[in-house]
Amino acid sequence: MALAPCFVSFAAIVFISSFINSLLLPSAHPLDLNATILPIFDVDLLEFSLNLEYLEADFFLFGSFGQGLERVAPNLTRGSPPPIGAQKANLDSNTNGLILQFGYQEVGHIKAIINVVRGFPRPQLDLSASTFAKVMDQAFDRPLQPPFNPYANNVSFLIAAYLIPYVGLTGYVDTIPKLFSTTSRKLVSGLLGIESGQDAVIRALLYPLRQVKVPPYDIDVDEFTRRISNLRNTLGRAGSKDEGLTVQVNEGAEGRVQGNVLAGDQFSLAYNRTPEEILRIVYGSGNASIPGGFFPKGAGGRIARSHLPNGYH
C-alpha cells in the first residue's frame, strides 16, 4: 500500500508528459484519440517518405491511366498543382495493367502514411519527358539523340521505372532501424515489402531484355541500367549502393554469378540510403540543397525543407 501514492504520481507524470509531447508534435494527430502519438523523429522520417510515394503514384498512374491523383484520389493532393509533363505511355496491355497496379498501390501507401502523420501537400513534380531525358544524358555523359522519351514504348517506360522504386526502397532500409515506435516500424516494413516487390518486378521484366537495344538507340537495356545505377551512386555521394542488371562475376551473389536481377551487397542484403542521399539523387544535382530534377521546387517535409535555401521556403 505504501507504493500506491508513488505509483499514482508516476502515472500522472507519464500522462502529463504524453500530453505535453502531443502538443509539441504538430505533424502528428494529437486530437485523434485512437492514434498513436509518435516521436517527432519518426514523424519526420515518415513524412519524408511521402515525397517518393507521390512521385511514384503520379508516374505510374499517368503512364498507365493517363491521369493522376487529381482524378484517382484528389483529396491526397491537398490542392497542389498537377505534375508537369506527365502523360499516358505507349504500353501493351500486360505492361499497362501491371503499371496501373503499381499506381494504385502507391495511392494506398500515401493513405497509409497520412493515417499516422499529418503529411503535406504533394510537392510540385516534373514528370516531363525532358526531365527523364536530362537524367539519361547525365547517365551517359552526353546528349542522347533523339532525347530519351519514357512514354514512347514498353522498354523505355520500364527503363524510366527502373529509376524510381529502387531509390525509395533503399530509403526504407535506412529508415527502419532509426524508428522508435512499433507503429512506425510496422508501417515502413509494409511499405518496404511492396516497394522492393515493385523494383523486383521491373528488374525481372528487364532482365530477359538486357541485350535488347532500347529504341531508337544502339544501346542495350543492360547498359542503360548500368549507367543509371552508376549515376545514382555518383549523385548519392556515399559509395556504391546501386547495381545494374549484370555485374562482374566477383560482384555477383556469392561472387559466382554475373546476373544481378536483384541488387545487393556482398551478403545479398539490400543497400540503404539516407534522406540526404535520396534528395541528391531525385534532384539530379548531387546536392540536397539544390532542387531540380523531379522536384523543381524541392521536396516536402521538415527534413527536405531544412536543407533548402530561404527562397524555397
Side-chain angles (χ1 to χ4, degrees), residues 215-295:
Y217 312 105
D218 189 28
I219 306 170
D220 61 31
V221 167
D222 190 35
E223 185 172 355
F224 263 91
T225 65
R226 185 168 58 253
R227 294 274 191 160
I228 291 168
S229 288
N230 288 343
L231 175 63
R232 290 190 296 212
N233 283 330
T234 299
L235 293 175
R237 292 167 37 205
S240 179
K241 298 184 177 183
D242 221 303
E243 300 167 340
L245 293 174
T246 62
V247 292
Q248 297 296 319
V249 172
N250 65 317
E251 296 175 346
E254 290 299 292
R256 296 186 179 188
V257 290
Q258 186 178 27
N260 195 46
V261 71
L262 296 179
D265 67 12
Q266 62 176 322
F267 300 111
S268 292
L269 301 178
Y271 292 105
N272 69 296
R273 282 193 171 108
T274 65
E276 289 72 23
E277 291 171 55
I278 290 173
L279 291 173
R280 294 171 198 151
I281 293 168
V282 297
Y283 289 172
S285 63
N287 189 324
S289 299
I290 302 178
F294 300 115
F295 294 88

Side-chain angles (χ1 to χ4, degrees), residues 67-99:
Q67 299 186 67
L69 288 173
E70 277 78 12
R71 174 64 184 274
V72 173
N75 59 306
L76 299 182
T77 71
R78 302 193 185 183
S80 59
I84 299 166
Q87 58 184 278
K88 174 77 173 69
N90 183 25
L91 304 176
D92 64 38
S93 59
N94 286 332
T95 306
N96 198 85
L98 182 86
I99 298 303

Side-chain angles (χ1 to χ4, degrees), residues 11-250:
I13 290 170
V14 170
F15 175 80
I16 293 169
S17 298
S18 298
F19 177 74
I20 292 172
N21 282 339
S22 72
L23 297 178
L24 295 175
L25 299 180
S27 295
H29 289 291
L31 299 181
D32 184 352
L33 298 180
N34 295 315
T36 301
I37 301 302
L38 301 178
I40 190 64
F41 191 65
D42 284 25
V43 172
D44 287 344
L45 288 170
L46 292 176
E47 289 195 327
F48 180 81
S49 67
L50 278 172
N51 289 294
L52 272 296
E53 300 294 352
Y54 278 129
L55 175 63
E56 293 174 56
D58 273 321
F59 178 61
F60 291 138
L61 288 173
F62 268 100
S64 59
F65 185 55
Q67 299 186 67
L69 288 173
E70 277 78 12
R71 174 64 184 274
V72 173
N75 59 306
L76 299 182
T77 71
R78 302 193 185 183
S80 59
I84 299 166
Q87 58 184 278
K88 174 77 173 69
N90 183 25
L91 304 176
D92 64 38
S93 59
N94 286 332
T95 306
N96 198 85
L98 182 86
I99 298 303
L100 183 61
Q101 292 175 52
F102 286 2
Y104 282 121
Q105 288 167 1
E106 301 305 334
V107 173
H109 290 181
I110 296 169
K111 289 179 178 178
I113 294 168
I114 63 176
N115 276 342
V116 296
V117 296
R118 182 167 297 159
F120 47 82
R122 177 189 56 191
Q124 177 67 75
L125 301 174
D126 188 343
L127 296 172
S128 60
S130 61
T131 294
F132 285 92
K134 290 175 184 176
V135 173
M136 296 307 171
D137 290 350
Q138 275 186 288
F140 283 89
D141 200 28
R142 61 182 172 85
L144 295 182
Q145 293 298 334
F148 181 83
N149 180 0
Y151 303 108
N153 52 65
N154 267 16
V155 177
S156 293
F157 191 84
L158 289 173
I159 289 288
Y162 177 92
L163 276 168
I164 301 174
Y166 181 75
V167 177
L169 82 86
T170 57
Y172 287 139
V173 172
D174 183 79
T175 294
I176 291 173
K178 297 177 179 177
L179 296 169
F180 291 95
S181 164
T182 300
T183 298
S184 303
R185 292 195 296 271
K186 181 178 179 181
L187 171 60
V188 178
S189 296
L191 294 168
L192 173 60
I194 298 299
E195 294 295 331
S196 58
Q198 290 177 352
D199 179 68
V201 169
I202 292 166
R203 293 178 72 104
L205 289 173
L206 288 172
Y207 188 76
L209 306 175
R210 61 193 180 280
Q211 295 181 326
V212 172
K213 305 295 184 183
V214 177
Y217 312 105
D218 189 28
I219 306 170
D220 61 31
V221 167
D222 190 35
E223 185 172 355
F224 263 91
T225 65
R226 185 168 58 253
R227 294 274 191 160
I228 291 168
S229 288
N230 288 343
L231 175 63
R232 290 190 296 212
N233 283 330
T234 299
L235 293 175
R237 292 167 37 205
S240 179
K241 298 184 177 183
D242 221 303
E243 300 167 340
L245 293 174
T246 62
V247 292
Q248 297 296 319
V249 172
N250 65 317

Side-chain angles (χ1 to χ4, degrees), residues 287-310:
N287 189 324
S289 299
I290 302 178
F294 300 115
F295 294 88
K297 296 184 178 179
R302 194 193 66 79
I303 293 174
R305 305 313 284 183
S306 70
H307 291 287
L308 294 179
N310 289 333

